[in-house]
Amino acid sequence: MYTPIIGSLGYIVSPDRTQTLLVHRNARASDQHLGKYNGLGGKMRADEDVLTCLRREIREEAGLECTEVQLRGTVNWTGFGPEGEDWLGFIFLITAFTGVPKTTNEEGDLAWHAIATLDTLPMWEGDRYFLPLVFDEDLRPFHGYMPYANSRPLDWKYVRI
C-alpha cells in the first residue's frame, strides 16, 4: 500500500532573483540530512493543505511570511525516508516575502546562495535533477518520480503540463 508522507519544500528567492535561502543541515548529529543544503519545508499536518503547510514551515524555519508563491512541481520520492518511507513533495518558489530571515534554526544555519552555483554545494544527489526546473523560466509545473534506495536516486522521470 502506498501511504506517503506529504511535505512542502520551498525555495525563497532574493528580490533580484539571483539567490535562494537555504538551510545547511548542521545542527543535529542524528539528522538524515546532516551536512547537506536544503530548501525549507517539512511534513504536512492532518489539518493543513500544502500551501498552509509551506507558509507555516517558512514562518517556523526562516521567520518569514510568504506573500507570493508559485507551485513549481511535485516529486514522488519512494524509499527516501531513513526507514524507507515514501515522500510526496510539493515544491514551491517563494518570490516575495516580508520579514528578515533568521540566520539559524533548529536544523542548522540559514544563508543566501547564488542560484547559478547551487550545483557546487553538498546536497542530496536527487536535488540536482529537479532544482533546475524550480528556477527555470518555464511556468508549467513539473511532476516527477524519483525512487530512492540506500540514500541514492535510482531513476528520475518527469512531465510538465
Side-chain angles (χ1 to χ4, degrees):
M1 181 189 299
Y2 178 68
T3 55
I5 298 166
I6 299 173
S8 66
L9 181 59
Y11 292 91
I12 303 164
V13 294
S14 59
D16 67 2
R17 305 245 177 153
T18 64
Q19 298 184 343
T20 188
L21 187 66
L22 299 177
V23 60
H24 184 203
R25 302 285 293 253
N26 58 8
R28 292 179 286 128
S30 62
D31 188 352
Q32 174 193 14
H33 308 278
L34 185 65
K36 292 177 172 57
Y37 287 81
N38 291 105
L40 304 175
K43 295 177 184 175
M44 188 171 72
R45 296 177 180 165
D47 64 345
E48 293 179 317
D49 58 74
V50 293
L51 184 57
T52 300
C53 172
L54 173 76
R55 287 186 164 138
R56 175 185 52 78
E57 290 285 351
I58 297 298
R59 187 179 314 111
E60 291 173 1
E61 294 184 7
L64 301 174
E65 294 296 328
C66 303
T67 57
E68 289 183 23
V69 177
Q70 300 169 5
L71 175 65
R72 295 301 289 146
T74 61
V75 179
N76 181 14
W77 286 287
T78 56
F80 180 74
E83 304 297 323
E85 303 90 345
D86 301 324
W87 277 79
L88 176 60
F90 290 78
I91 303 170
F92 295 91
L93 191 65
I94 297 103
T95 55
F97 57 88
T98 59
V100 176
K102 296 178 182 180
T103 56
T104 62
N105 65 29
E106 65 185 25
E107 296 173 340
D109 300 323
L110 279 78
W112 294 99
H113 297 273
I115 293 168
T117 61
L118 290 181
D119 61 347
T120 67
L121 296 173
M123 63 178 60
W124 285 102
E125 182 182 342
D127 289 11
R128 298 182 196 288
Y129 296 110
F130 72 82
L131 275 177
L133 305 174
V134 173
F135 297 106
D136 71 12
E137 298 299 319
D138 189 336
L139 297 180
R140 296 174 301 157
F142 64 89
H143 302 285
Y145 169 64
M146 187 180 299
Y148 262 76
N150 301 314
S151 299
R152 303 277 318 266
L154 302 175
D155 194 12
W156 169 237
K157 297 176 187 171
Y158 74 93
V159 296
R160 277 196 142 139
I161 56 170

